[in-house]
Amino acid sequence: MFRIRITPRWELERVDGAAPQADTTALIALLAAIAETGAIAEAARALGLSYRNAWGQVKQAEALFGQPLLVAGRGRGSTLTPLAEKLIWADKRVAARLSPLLQSLASELEGELERTLPAPPRVLRLHASHGFAVAALLEELQAQQLPLELRYRNSFESVAALAHGECELAGFHVPIGEFEAAAAERYRSWLQPEKHRLVHLAVRTQGLFAAPGNPRRIGGVEDLKRPDLRFVNRPTGSGTRLLTELLLARHGLSPRQVNGFDNAEFTHAAVAAFIASGMADVGLGVQTAAQRFGLHFIPLLRERYFLAFNAADEARPDLRALLALMRSVPYRSRVAALPGYEAAHTGEVCGVREAGLVG
């Protein structure tokens, strides 16, 4: 069994070649440690660096930018300049946008390598919209060395892939309440009560993201028509994009009235990073992403996240192992610890009709 890890890495260099380029991986780790400890000496110690090495990294980067990254306080303390803080935010945005894609690619490559073996193992394939509980599930499976090939796709693509035999599990989410019937209708052509079963992953809260302290005084969906607000959306075909359209219709708004409706980011975290960077004022996503980027969160509704699978596969040992892991106390506790997530029914299996997704 192979394990592939692909992580984002970016470099900085001046186009005139006046200063050496900087590998941001080490630099941003150092800046983040300084922000946490308040002193470069403490940050260096925490990272296992010498004081001289740490100062060298800072000075090299300052030479690259031509301005300081640290402000010396009284005594031996140091604080970050706005430029240093922006570098940390840039790295968070890179990770938010690319990490899920790279994680998905790594999982696909693992599967391709495994299939080159003389007797390739039979591995469960999960196609799912990105979510924090899904990411936690993959990490738990990897820790227990239970193979799973993960591909992040939007909810509708995932369920269609299951129907076409491209995967064994499909992750999708459905809002609870007034929008449930309209959202469920989109999945009915793919999910068949006689053929498919569902396992409950989590209940999570969706809402509006705004800058810390909500300086633009955003109160709800009705504010999205304000021309002074810049909105950042999710891609066409995603469950959250559908939810956005349903919310707008509920408030008598059209997408054309929303400034930035066509600007899209792949994940909830990427939307949060976009707003935290000041490139937009408002977006829709799950509470966990808002909290991780220090954003103001306005809850709107709760939704259920399911994994669908073929009923004929329920006896497969690898699927039974996955279901057992989802029901375990460690995994349920991990899901419940995510802000805005509930794990009361995590791991429970039911029918499509029992879940209320068909009439």
Side-chain angles (χ1 to χ4, degrees):
M1 179 177 179
F2 301 99
R3 178 73 63 236
I4 296 175
R5 293 182 179 86
I6 309 174
T7 57
R9 179 179 178 272
W10 52 291
E11 297 178 346
L12 287 164
E13 62 180 350
R14 291 174 59 115
V15 294
D16 59 9
Q21 67 180 24
D23 180 352
T24 62
T25 304
L27 174 64
I28 290 173
L30 177 59
L31 293 176
I34 294 171
E36 182 176 351
T37 63
I40 190 169
E42 292 296 324
R45 188 176 298 111
L47 296 175
L49 303 174
S50 68
Y51 182 77
R52 181 178 180 179
N53 184 303
W55 258 119
Q57 289 187 41
V58 172
K59 290 303 180 183
Q60 179 179 332
E62 289 180 339
L64 177 67
F65 287 106
Q67 56 181 290
L69 295 176
L70 301 181
V71 176
R74 294 181 178 179
R76 298 165 61 188
S78 297
T79 58
L80 303 186
T81 65
L83 173 60
E85 292 176 346
K86 185 62 72 173
L87 286 172
I88 293 176
W89 276 119
D91 190 67
K92 287 183 178 181
R93 186 171 176 226
V94 168
R97 173 177 279 189
L98 297 183
S99 290
L101 296 172
L102 295 178
Q103 184 184 45
S104 178
L105 176 59
S107 183
E108 290 181 51
L109 293 177
E110 289 169 4
E112 290 299 324
L113 289 177
E114 296 286 356
R115 283 189 281 273
T116 65
L117 299 177
R122 190 183 182 197
V123 177
L124 285 174
R125 297 167 297 174
L126 168 61
H127 291 194
S129 64
H130 182 264
F132 293 97
V134 175
L137 179 62
L138 179 63
E139 292 173 6
E140 290 290 327
L141 287 166
Q142 290 176 341
Q144 296 193 23
Q145 297 188 352
L146 297 173
L148 178 76
E149 185 177 320
L150 172 64
R151 181 178 178 186
Y152 284 126
R153 311 176 71 173
N154 68 51
S155 291
F156 304 114
E157 289 175 337
S158 299
V159 175
L162 176 67
H164 293 147
E166 299 171 15
C167 61
E168 286 72 47
L169 292 154
F172 68 100
H173 48 98
V174 179
I176 298 171
E178 64 174 306
F179 303 124
E180 185 169 358
E185 181 66 31
R186 297 288 295 273
Y187 300 111
R188 284 177 185 159
S189 60
W190 305 114
L191 294 176
Q192 303 174 28
E194 301 77 17
K195 182 178 179 180
H196 297 116
R197 300 273 283 164
L198 306 176
V199 55
H200 195 288
L201 185 70
V203 169
R204 61 186 191 180
T205 302
Q206 288 249 39
L208 294 176
F209 299 167
N214 195 13
R216 307 305 296 273
R217 298 188 180 279
I218 299 165
V221 175
E222 62 279 1
D223 286 321
L224 297 184
K225 66 182 178 181
R226 287 167 45 185
D228 63 310
L229 293 182
R230 298 165 298 166
F231 183 71
V232 56
N233 210 341
R234 294 291 305 285
T236 300
S238 70
T240 300
R241 176 74 165 242
L242 171 62
L243 179 58
T244 300
E245 294 168 355
L246 292 171
L247 284 165
L248 290 176
R250 167 73 170 76
H251 288 81
L253 302 176
S254 74
R256 293 189 302 275
Q257 293 176 274
V258 180
N259 178 20
F261 185 84
D262 293 327
N263 296 330
E265 290 288 333
F266 182 65
T267 67
H268 297 276
V271 168
F274 202 82
I275 295 169
S277 299
M279 300 175 70
D281 304 301
V282 61
L284 184 69
V286 296
Q287 185 175 348
T288 305
Q291 181 160 323
R292 291 191 177 182
F293 282 85
L295 299 178
H296 182 77
F297 183 73
I298 304 164
L300 296 177
L301 51 80
R302 295 156 65 239
E303 62 181 12
R304 295 179 294 170
Y305 196 115
F306 293 106
L307 301 183
F309 60 91
N310 290 315
D313 287 336
E314 194 165 359
R316 282 182 56 157
D318 49 3
L319 180 56
R320 293 173 66 87
L322 181 143
L323 295 175
L325 184 147
M326 292 178 65
R327 299 181 188 117
S328 68
V329 172
Y331 178 68
R332 288 165 62 105
S333 299
R334 186 168 178 177
V335 172
L338 294 169
Y341 274 73
E342 303 169 27
H345 300 288
T346 297
E348 293 182 5
V349 176
C350 65
V352 175
R353 184 171 284 108
E354 184 183 351
L357 299 187
V358 296

